[in-house]
Amino acid sequence: MSIAREIKQRLAKKYYKNRCFVCHKKLGKFFAFHHLWYLEEDAIYKNFRNTNDYHRELEKFINSNPKRFILLCRAHHHLVEWAASIKDEDRKSTRLNSSHSSVSRMP
């Protein structure tokens, strides 16, 4: 068993009842810990060379504050990430619109 898998199983059992936060599916192969909010020094997957190093670092953050994370099955993790991307796009759109001066179309 990989180090990442061992860490994931240990944390899932200790803090998340080995279940997806949304559907309560039992812990499986493609589960992920989702950050509910980020801190500046957080472990972000793309910044690591391999999954074992990422999970070693992530374990420290989850142990220090498990309420900042939820455990999600693959399907629900994809949905949460998709919803967050739409929210970010809407925020950018709103910010762009508010920065432009209003121009009347009436003569």
Side-chain angles (χ1 to χ4, degrees):
M1 182 182 305
S2 75
I3 293 168
R5 182 110 172 112
E6 289 175 16
I7 292 169
K8 198 180 284 190
Q9 286 181 342
R10 184 169 53 248
L11 293 171
K13 183 178 181 181
K14 186 175 183 178
Y15 298 116
Y16 307 105
K17 300 178 184 175
N18 275 336
R19 305 257 175 207
C20 172
F21 180 79
V22 178
C23 67
H24 307 288
K25 181 178 177 180
K26 193 169 180 177
L27 179 68
K29 187 174 181 181
F30 298 107
F31 274 59
F33 294 106
H34 179 76
H35 295 77
L36 292 175
W37 65 89
Y38 284 90
L39 299 177
E40 207 171 299
E41 67 276 0
D42 265 353
I44 299 172
Y45 187 76
K46 68 180 181 179
N47 296 338
F48 288 85
R49 295 173 79 173
N50 64 61
T51 190
N52 290 333
D53 290 345
Y54 169 70
H55 279 87
R56 281 187 195 107
E57 192 66 21
L58 184 64
E59 183 175 27
K60 298 172 192 174
F61 291 104
I62 293 175
N63 280 326
S64 69
N65 190 353
K67 292 181 180 182
R68 286 188 45 232
F69 301 86
I70 55 176
L71 181 64
L72 296 172
C73 65
R74 180 182 4 199
H76 287 108
H77 190 246
H78 284 302
L79 285 172
V80 168
E81 291 293 320
W82 173 76
S85 72
I86 289 176
K87 182 180 172 186
D88 288 343
E89 287 176 24
D90 286 348
R91 192 178 312 134
K92 288 176 188 173
S93 172
T94 303
R95 193 168 48 239
L96 270 176
N97 291 337
S98 66
S99 67
H100 290 81
S101 59
S102 60
V103 178
S104 174
R105 295 178 186 237
M106 298 293 287

